[in-house]
Amino acid sequence: MKRNLLQDHATTAMLTYFALFVFLVIVSWPSLKLTGHVISEPQGLNTTNTTLFSHIKTFGVIYNQDFNDTQTAWLAGRYDLRIGSLSMPFAYEVNPDLKVINYLNTQTINDARFGEGCWGCIEDFASEHGFDAESFFLHYMEDIQYVYNFPDSGYQSVSIPGWNPANDLDGDGWVNDTEYPIRPYPDASARHKNESRMASSWNVHWGMANIAYEGWQELAINDTIKNLELYDKAGTLLDGMVFSVPLMHYFSLNSTLEYYGEPIDGNFSYIDHKYDFIDLLRGRLESHFPTYKPLVANAEAAWYATTEPVNSQRLDQAFGWMLIENAYDYAAAGHYYDVMWPMLLMLKENADSGKTLLLMVNDRTATERGAVFSLSLYYILHSPNTYFGTKRDGTYNGSWFDAIAYDIGQPLDQDPYDWANGTDPSNASHTYHVIGREYENALVLVKMKPKRISDTGSSSATNHNLSRLYQPLYSDGTLGPAISSISLMNNEGAILIKTDLPLVTLIAPQDQLETNSTDITFLCNATGSVSISLYTNTTGTWAPENSTDTSLNHTIEDVPGGRFAWNCLAYNSYGDANYADTRYFTVNRCEEDWACTAWSGGSCGTRSCSCSCPDDSDCGTRPSESLDCPPQDSGGGGGGGGGGGGSFTPSPSQNVTAPQTTEPAILPLEEPVDIPEAVETQNLSLEYVIEETVIDVPQITGFAVSGSTLRPYALLAPFLLIMVLFALISFRVISVRKRTTPVNLQLKEYIVRLKAKGRTDEYISDILKQAGWEEEVIKRSLRQK
């Protein structure tokens, strides 16, 4: 009857939890179904992620996948983030922390298909889903003459025929020979609608996409999800998503069939269609993926600064990440102080407030001056949310240069400042500005041309004295000779490495030292310093322990056990600080590990008894192996010896006093008691109950988050997991109550200690039998985990 009653309780508990689960599903389903995965405002990259370089985060742009393993390893070893394809998963083997951003071209449809690799050919996709394939493109309403870039022959003027549906008099989809001479709109000469596709200015073979068309949106969303799932890509770059009003005039969008005659201004509907698509795409991604997959906008720096207010506002709201192309160009059409500098400051403010900025150079790193200027300007704007990027320019290594990897440390100034200014020698009506920012190991300078028309040649050069010696950093990562002054032209930068930083040498203790000693002596020295301080975390906080001038010899006593770091920080007369590579050491506080397990020696009295006391930790605290036995029965336990600690054979018939040790002594086991057939749960070992209710949680949670096809059902996984846990725990705990095998905690502890020393069950059983324990109790205790 008792057994059946317990089973009834278990069944009742499971049914109760199941009913509660069904209730929660019914109540929660509407909101789950509608909202899916909801996130907060767009966010920047997690700046705690591991990066390849401690002073800079890097990214590169790749548009196609054609790299061998050697090239892939080169790329993965230099970039923290890649946009576009890369040989995967081999790249992750080289750089496990690599982030890959999916590429989506929102402007063009390549080769009459929706992207390289076909993405799902438009004709097939349209036929399968009931869309009109031609509506994926934009079309000119009337004939237009335009200049396009042909890949094989360069720029040429091309006439594009326009399509007016009114010319198709019989509505059969084309203007036949009868209709053509009498067409009501002779300025539209296209016979078929596809002849009038609006082409990309950089490649006449690429048609401009109609982003407002539902079919295009569905194809783009489906392709984006597919690519994000591939190798768990971090996000998607929406190339061409940001348009300024001048660019819309450039493409003559108001001459297209879709936007014919619409005034191009800040409220142009094409802008709304783009941001409506962004909202749609973001919602679908948030409901599909359990983690945030950011959308990255591609924006030219100048366009970003000059977009109409409504466009700029929606731009800031739509994207947590922004790719800024041509951010560091130094050519005549590039940066000039009076307009571009405020824009660059705006970018830095965005990055400081959390927006992730990918600041990219295109082809301006081909010269020494261009490379150093671009990197200098990046350091002027650097924050934890900025990436320095290079573009692939015909070769796999693109515009990379080795100065990027040179460690200049972290910025000492939060914001750049006006380091120098004056009259531009090439134009007395212009005022030049040299922007500066100091880093731990360098001074970074950028001199922007004052205005668009300002000269950038040698006539604009100005000389400036430096407060100390520096070595200029070249684009190949090498350093020039030490200088005390510098000449800078307009749109020229300099990264000046401090030459007289203190040189710190750590002497003792050696790196990764392990010792039993609790008194540690630290030795270090530094050249070119006026003070040096020891830093450790032996107290739990990284803090200075002692300070002297150019060398240090300091002992810390009674260091606790554990692994600790240490270093020496030195300052020179300029107030510059430097340190060596941090070292580590480990203090092992000896833990006694000995046991006296077998006393012997015949009848005691005046004779001595011997014992076996192996000292596994070699702490030197075990008792003597030869002790005088007090008068007692030959079957009794022995007494403690001098200066040690350990474990003793438990005695069910008498108490044994353990010697004092540095650890809490092990208490004697209680005398055995009559064990009833059923024992209350509270009398069982708590550890035993927990062991009996272990559930393989990773398998359950893996079901909840694996695979996109489980959604929206996967959203219910947390409720299901909780209910299953409650039901199984209740069932197992009730089941435990049926067990009649109690566990004596002290006896169990004794057995565990002997097994840890390699003693066999037979050995332990013989000792316990001699001590008076019942054989059945011993067997049950040995069976316990």
Side-chain angles (χ1 to χ4, degrees):
M1 178 63 69
K2 187 174 184 179
R3 181 184 183 92
N4 294 335
L5 182 60
L6 289 172
Q7 290 177 337
D8 291 342
H9 280 307
T11 303
T12 301
M14 296 184 69
L15 290 174
T16 301
Y17 290 127
F18 179 77
L20 179 58
F21 164 71
V22 172
F23 172 76
L24 290 174
V25 169
I26 294 173
V27 172
S28 305
W29 178 252
S31 60
L32 291 173
K33 185 176 181 181
L34 291 174
T35 61
H37 178 72
V38 180
I39 63 169
S40 58
E41 290 297 318
Q43 52 196 318
L45 277 174
N46 180 359
T47 56
T48 62
N49 287 341
T50 302
T51 56
L52 292 170
F53 309 104
S54 60
H55 66 291
I56 194 172
K57 289 190 290 192
T58 57
F59 80 97
V61 177
I62 307 174
Y63 293 122
N64 58 335
Q65 182 176 344
D66 55 358
F67 307 112
N68 58 37
D69 285 352
T70 300
Q71 295 168 338
T72 296
W74 190 95
L75 292 165
R78 284 165 175 79
Y79 293 103
D80 298 302
L81 182 147
R82 298 297 296 177
I83 297 176
S85 301
L86 196 61
S87 179
M88 312 298 269
F90 175 71
Y92 285 134
E93 297 178 12
V94 178
N95 180 6
D97 298 301
L98 178 69
K99 293 179 176 58
V100 179
I101 299 291
N102 175 50
Y103 176 80
L104 173 64
N105 192 333
T106 64
Q107 290 187 34
T108 62
I109 301 173
N110 301 352
D111 299 323
R113 299 178 184 271
F114 199 69
E116 296 180 5
C118 192
W119 281 14
C121 298
I122 286 179
E123 294 82 359
D124 296 339
F125 185 86
S127 175
E128 181 180 353
H129 296 85
F131 296 118
D132 173 34
E134 195 58 39
S135 295
F136 282 64
F137 298 88
L138 294 176
H139 308 82
Y140 282 119
M141 181 75 166
E142 55 190 14
D143 298 352
I144 189 169
Q145 195 76 17
Y146 211 78
V147 177
Y148 289 105
N149 182 25
F150 288 81
D152 53 349
S153 56
Y155 287 93
Q156 299 180 32
S157 179
V158 177
S159 177
I160 305 292
W163 169 263
N164 192 318
N167 289 341
D168 180 14
L169 299 178
D170 60 7
D172 62 353
W174 71 291
V175 178
N176 58 37
D177 291 342
T178 302
E179 295 170 328
Y180 190 79
I182 61 173
R183 65 189 188 277
Y185 296 94
D187 290 339
S189 61
R191 294 292 191 101
H192 298 271
K193 186 178 181 180
N194 61 6
E195 296 175 358
S196 67
R197 291 177 184 171
M198 181 182 184
S200 162
S201 63
W202 50 88
N203 192 324
V204 72
H205 301 302
W206 295 356
M208 298 294 288
N210 182 9
I211 197 171
Y213 183 56
E214 181 184 3
W216 183 95
Q217 295 174 349
E218 285 300 313
L219 181 56
I221 291 172
N222 291 346
D223 182 76
T224 300
I225 291 175
K226 177 187 70 176
N227 280 283
L228 288 177
E229 290 177 334
L230 186 64
Y231 304 116
D232 192 27
K233 291 185 178 179
T236 295
L237 170 67
L238 304 182
D239 198 8
M241 182 55 66
V242 178
F243 269 80
S244 67
V245 170
L247 183 64
M248 294 174 188
H249 280 292
Y250 176 70
F251 280 104
S252 300
L253 280 172
N254 60 348
S255 297
T256 62
L257 175 67
E258 290 77 13
Y259 300 97
Y260 187 75
E262 182 177 340
I264 295 181
D265 56 26
N267 296 310
F268 190 48
S269 60
Y270 187 74
I271 297 175
D272 292 330
H273 293 152
K274 279 189 170 283
Y275 290 113
D276 289 343
F277 171 69
I278 293 171
D279 293 338
L280 177 63
L281 175 60
R282 177 183 290 111
R284 294 278 286 275
L285 294 182
E286 290 174 357
S287 64
H288 188 87
F289 293 101
T291 56
Y292 180 58
K293 302 283 187 179
L295 300 179
V296 186
N298 184 5
E300 290 279 359
W303 297 347
Y304 182 58
T306 58
T307 48
E308 300 298 322
V310 62
N311 190 20
S312 180
Q313 181 180 6
R314 294 198 66 175
L315 186 69
D316 287 335
Q317 294 172 347
F319 297 101
W321 291 21
M322 190 76 67
L323 168 65
I324 308 296
E325 284 198 67
N326 301 320
Y328 308 117
D329 289 1
Y330 78 98
H335 287 84
Y336 45 100
Y337 184 85
D338 60 345
V339 171
M340 299 303 290
W341 181 241
M343 184 273 295
L344 294 175
L345 286 180
M346 178 189 70
L347 292 178
K348 185 178 185 306
E349 291 173 358
N350 287 343
D352 291 342
S353 64
K355 187 184 292 293
T356 295
L357 296 183
L358 310 178
L359 307 176
M360 186 175 75
V361 179
N362 273 342
D363 57 354
R364 305 305 180 184
T365 61
T367 67
E368 175 70 21
R369 178 176 173 183
V372 174
F373 177 82
S374 64
L375 186 58
S376 300
L377 193 52
Y378 169 82
Y379 286 137
I380 291 292
L381 304 177
H382 169 76
S383 80
N385 288 321
T386 56
Y387 280 68
F388 179 77
T390 59
K391 186 177 182 180
R392 181 185 176 209
D393 295 330
T395 60
Y396 76 94
N397 53 357
S399 48
W400 172 271
F401 52 98
D402 288 337
I404 299 170
Y406 192 97
D407 187 2
I408 69 170
Q410 299 302 312
L412 301 180
D413 301 311
Q414 174 64 28
D415 296 309
Y417 57 93
D418 202 345
W419 187 79
N421 59 72
T423 301
D424 185 350
S426 64
N427 190 325
S429 64
H430 297 171
T431 300
Y432 73 82
H433 295 267
V434 179
I435 309 302
R437 195 176 186 191
E438 189 170 3
Y439 281 71
E440 291 174 330
N441 304 328
L443 172 66
V444 180
L445 301 175
V446 168
K447 183 184 179 186
M448 298 178 65
K449 63 180 182 179
K451 297 182 180 297
R452 180 186 292 272
I453 62 174
S454 299
D455 183 51
T456 58
S458 58
S459 64
S460 67
T462 53
N463 294 316
H464 306 274
N465 292 324
L466 302 171
S467 61
R468 56 185 295 170
L469 292 177
Y470 293 95
Q471 289 181 269
L473 175 64
Y474 296 147
S475 64
D476 62 1
T478 62
L479 299 179
I483 58 175
S484 58
S485 64
I486 188 171
S487 176
L488 292 172
M489 294 180 287
N490 288 338
N491 279 7
E492 187 175 19
I495 303 171
L496 306 176
I497 306 302
K498 301 173 182 178
T499 61
D500 47 4
L501 290 174
L503 179 61
V504 179
T505 302
L506 305 184
I507 301 173
Q510 67 187 41
D511 193 25
Q512 306 300 335
L513 172 70
E514 292 194 22
T515 178
N516 292 337
S517 174
T518 59
D519 295 341
I520 307 297
T521 297
F522 299 88
L523 300 174
C524 61
N525 57 40
T527 60
S529 70
V530 294
S531 70
I532 185 169
S533 301
L534 169 67
Y535 276 75
T536 74
N537 60 346
T538 56
T539 62
T541 303
W542 183 253
E545 294 281 352
N546 184 269
S547 298
T548 61
D549 45 15
T550 58
S551 63
L552 184 142
N553 184 332
H554 180 68
T555 299
I556 300 179
E557 298 179 349
D558 197 27
V559 176
R563 187 171 186 265
F564 303 100
W566 76 283
N567 207 331
C568 288
L569 182 67
Y571 286 87
N572 63 12
S573 58
Y574 296 103
D576 300 319
N578 198 19
Y579 45 85
D581 292 334
T582 299
R583 288 186 176 183
Y584 298 87
F585 64 94
T586 301
V587 173
N588 295 317
R589 289 272 190 171
C590 195
E591 296 184 3
E592 296 164 335
D593 188 12
W594 56 267
C596 291
T597 58
W599 293 89
S600 63
S603 60
C604 283
T606 59
R607 296 182 56 187
S608 296
C609 297
S610 63
C611 72
S612 174
C613 297
D615 192 356
D616 295 336
S617 291
D618 197 25
C619 290
T621 58
R622 68 179 182 179
S624 171
E625 292 191 7
S626 179
L627 301 175
D628 290 335
C629 293
Q632 57 183 350
D633 296 335
S634 60
S647 61
F648 296 81
T649 304
S651 170
S653 59
Q654 67 181 71
N655 293 328
V656 179
T657 302
Q660 296 298 314
T661 68
T662 56
E663 296 181 354
I666 299 173
L667 297 177
L669 297 177
E670 297 177 356
E671 295 184 4
V673 296
D674 292 333
I675 303 173
E677 180 180 353
V679 179
E680 293 298 328
T681 302
Q682 59 267 26
N683 291 335
L684 296 180
S685 164
L686 178 59
E687 182 179 355
Y688 174 78
V689 175
I690 294 175
E691 288 177 354
E692 288 295 323
T693 57
V694 169
I695 299 171
D696 191 0
V697 174
Q699 292 183 5
I700 298 175
T701 56
F703 172 81
V705 300
S706 63
S708 61
T709 58
L710 296 180
R711 298 176 181 81
Y713 304 103
L715 297 172
L716 302 176
F719 298 106
L720 178 60
L721 175 60
I722 294 173
M723 296 303 103
V724 172
L725 284 174
F726 273 122
L728 290 178
I729 290 174
S730 292
F731 178 75
R732 300 301 291 170
V733 170
I734 292 173
S735 298
V736 166
R737 294 172 183 241
K738 296 187 296 180
R739 300 181 183 271
T740 58
T741 303
V743 178
N744 185 300
L745 294 178
Q746 292 175 318
L747 179 58
K748 179 180 177 181
E749 178 184 359
Y750 172 75
I751 291 174
V752 169
R753 291 176 66 92
L754 289 190
K755 284 187 175 183
K757 296 179 181 297
R759 306 299 192 263
T760 65
D761 287 359
E762 292 77 9
Y763 177 87
I764 299 172
S765 178
D766 289 342
I767 294 175
L768 293 175
K769 287 178 183 178
Q770 295 177 14
W773 286 92
E774 294 180 2
E775 183 174 359
E776 184 61 28
V777 174
I778 297 173
K779 289 181 179 180
R780 287 199 297 265
S781 299
L782 287 171
R783 284 198 299 266
Q784 301 301 327
K785 295 181 179 180

